[in-house]
Amino acid sequence: MGRKRELFRVHIVRKGIVRNGSETATCAITELTSQGIGLSTDLRAVQGDRLDLTFDLTDRHRITCTLLVTHVATPRLGGCIAAISTEHQQQLTRYIEAHAAINLTVF
């Protein structure tokens, strides 16, 4: 059975660096969940690749993680976070929760 997608996705635009083995390229982070990331890049990747990714979530928080590619539609790709430090996971989770709280508030 496949992985279930997260209920709440944050659509953002953040520049980052992505590496696949010895190849490195810039990327644009386009979607976040607490367990996955969507991005756009010229870097070649296929389903199952493990990409090293670094991007500034905020002015104060840089995220570094490993992404397991689950889908590719060049130049877009996405996947689940395969490795991330506890601190970076907490920063990502807090950011998503804060974004959800702001956007789901009824006026």
Side-chain angles (χ1 to χ4, degrees), residues 13-31:
V13 177
R14 300 287 189 276
K15 291 184 180 184
I17 301 292
V18 62
R19 186 169 46 96
N20 189 359
S22 62
E23 294 183 55
T24 301
T26 59
C27 66
I29 309 302
T30 57
E31 293 181 314

Side-chain angles (χ1 to χ4, degrees), residues 25-96:
T26 59
C27 66
I29 309 302
T30 57
E31 293 181 314
L32 292 175
T33 72
S34 60
Q35 298 177 354
I37 298 173
L39 58 93
S40 179
T41 184
D42 291 333
L43 184 73
R44 288 187 287 170
V46 296
Q47 187 175 355
D49 281 352
R50 289 180 171 268
L51 308 178
D52 295 317
L53 176 63
T54 301
F55 65 98
D56 290 331
L57 181 62
T58 67
D59 292 341
R60 297 175 47 207
H61 297 108
R62 175 168 284 179
I63 302 294
T64 299
C65 64
T66 300
L67 190 70
L68 175 62
V69 177
T70 58
H71 63 278
V72 178
T74 306
R76 297 181 61 191
L77 62 88
C80 59
I81 298 171
I84 190 169
S85 71
T86 302
E87 177 186 353
H88 289 189
Q89 181 66 60
Q90 290 171 347
Q91 291 169 356
L92 184 60
T93 299
R94 280 192 302 267
Y95 180 86
I96 292 168

